[in-house]
């Protein structure tokens, strides 16, 4: 026991030294103005801490998937969507490695995870255009397959943790809905307007629709729809708060497909539980609808945009359209309309001196 205690103390001591070194390194990058490298050190240290425990990995997967937008670029080496998907794949794959002894690598789950990539390979072989298109098409499907496998196995073996994550996400979505209301009231998307890698992911594209933390109204509408259904299914304490907040966000996103999906899902839920319908439930539904309408319709005057102010400067990420016409390659390529034609020389100008004696006087033009 004493030997084991000494080993644990040694591990804790090395961990403290490593953490102190990472803090000093990040502070050094911040002092030199390289905030992106400091952010990379912080994210790397956080991921290293997460990878030591399977439960932390499950939490990190949901946090990254729902809280990190893919429309902003903070210095990723590749497209933000692919970078975050790769991080999720690494987390899920390492989580499966840590759970291998417990789960015994079930063959059905492994086959389900490889089903989508196998279909992509078969489709690529039929329309063969080289190895690269197949690799590019299979990689995202492989990531999604392993990710779904990891989450399904964790939910099957540890339902309590997955339920806690779902409840935390529903209350996290309340804060996101408040941010979405600010976006539509102020007609601006903070952070997204400054770091968006394309102008279509800024408020200049459509400031009347909210994007929450997703960076795109369709993605946020889908997230709000999912949170409404999750909160309604769990029905924990004060469940009507996340339901109302996400209904507000759903309307503010302007995503009609998410509206239709929510209505159909609620209709199916009521159809399966029509025997449990009561006057109390109908009253709660009416109250939630009234509060939702009020929160959507009312805009605080302090958040309204100033129409008399100058137009905002475009984001540096947005491509500036040039309105000037291209200059001609040479002056001779486009002759001026006022210049005389080379084939027809201009007539000599008439002299202002009087005519010589005996010379005929030209007739006046009629």
């Amino acid at each position: 026991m004493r030997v084991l205690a000494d080993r644990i103390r040694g591990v804790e001591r090395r961990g403290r030294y490593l953490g102190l070194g990472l803090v000093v390194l990040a502070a050094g990058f911040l002092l030199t103005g390289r905030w992106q490298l400091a952010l990379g050190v912080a994210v790397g240290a956080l991921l290293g801490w997460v990878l030591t425990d399977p439960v932390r990995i499950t939490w990190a997967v949901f946090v990254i998937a729902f809280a990190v937008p893919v429309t902003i670029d903070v210095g990723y080496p590749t497209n933000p969507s692919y970078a975050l998907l790769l991080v999720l794949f690494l987390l899920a794959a390492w989580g499966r490695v840590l759970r291998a002894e417990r789960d015994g690598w079930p063959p059905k789950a492994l086959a389900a995870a490889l089903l989508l990539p196998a279909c992509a390979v078969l489709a690529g072989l039929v329309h063969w255009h080289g190895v690269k298109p197949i690799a590019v098409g299979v990689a995202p499907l492989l990531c999604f397959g392993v990710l779904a496998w990891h989450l399904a196995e964790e939910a099957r073996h540890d339902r309590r943790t997955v339920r806690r994550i779902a409840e935390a996400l529903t209350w996290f979505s309340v804060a996101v809905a408040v941010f979405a209301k600010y976006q539509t009231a102020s007609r601006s998307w903070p952070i997204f307007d400054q770091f968006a890698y394309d102008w279509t992911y800024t408020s200049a594209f459509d400031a009347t629709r909210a994007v929450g933390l997703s960076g795109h109204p369709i993605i946020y509408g889908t997230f709000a729809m999912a949170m409404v259904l999750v909160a309604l299914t769990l029905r924990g304490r004060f469940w009507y708060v996340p339901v109302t907040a996400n209904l507000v966000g759903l309307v503010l996103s302007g995503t009609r497909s998410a509206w239709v999906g929510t209505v159909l899902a609620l209709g199916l839920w009521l159809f399966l539980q029509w025997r449990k319908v009561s006057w109390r439930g109908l009253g709660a539904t009416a109250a939630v609808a009234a509060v939702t309408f009020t929160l959507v319709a009312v805009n605080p005057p302090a958040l309204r945009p100033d129409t008399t102010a100058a137009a905002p400067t475009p984001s540096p990420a947005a491509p500036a359209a040039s309105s000037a016409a291209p200059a001609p390659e040479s002056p001779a390529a486009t002759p001026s309309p006022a210049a005389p034609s080379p084939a027809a020389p201009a007539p000599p100008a008439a002299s202002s001196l009087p005519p010589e004696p005996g010379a005929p006087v030209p007739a006046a033009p009629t």
Side-chain angles (χ1 to χ4, degrees), residues 102-103 106 109 149-159 162:
R102 184 198 68 176
D103 300 341
W149 174 29
H150 173 73
L151 296 179
E153 287 298 312
E154 289 300 307
R156 188 166 65 92
H157 288 86
D158 192 1
R159 296 184 179 181
V162 175

Side-chain angles (χ1 to χ4, degrees), residues 1-10:
M1 292 296 295
R2 182 177 297 178
V3 175
L4 181 60
D6 293 339
R7 289 182 180 179
I8 293 175
R9 292 193 190 96

Side-chain angles (χ1 to χ4, degrees), residues 258-351:
W259 298 350
V260 174
T262 304
V263 171
L264 293 178
L266 293 178
L268 179 61
W269 183 78
L270 290 174
F271 177 76
L272 296 177
Q273 303 188 30
W274 64 272
R275 294 183 179 181
K276 299 181 181 180
V277 176
S278 62
W279 288 109
R280 181 181 179 182
L282 294 177
T285 303
V288 169
V291 173
T292 300
F293 176 79
T294 303
L295 294 176
V296 171
V298 175
N299 289 326
L303 298 180
R304 294 175 184 173
D306 187 7
T307 56
T308 61
T313 57
S315 172
S322 177
S323 58
E329 297 180 358
S330 62
T334 54
S336 174
S341 174
S351 175

Side-chain angles (χ1 to χ4, degrees), residues 109 200 250 287:
T200 56
L250 183 62

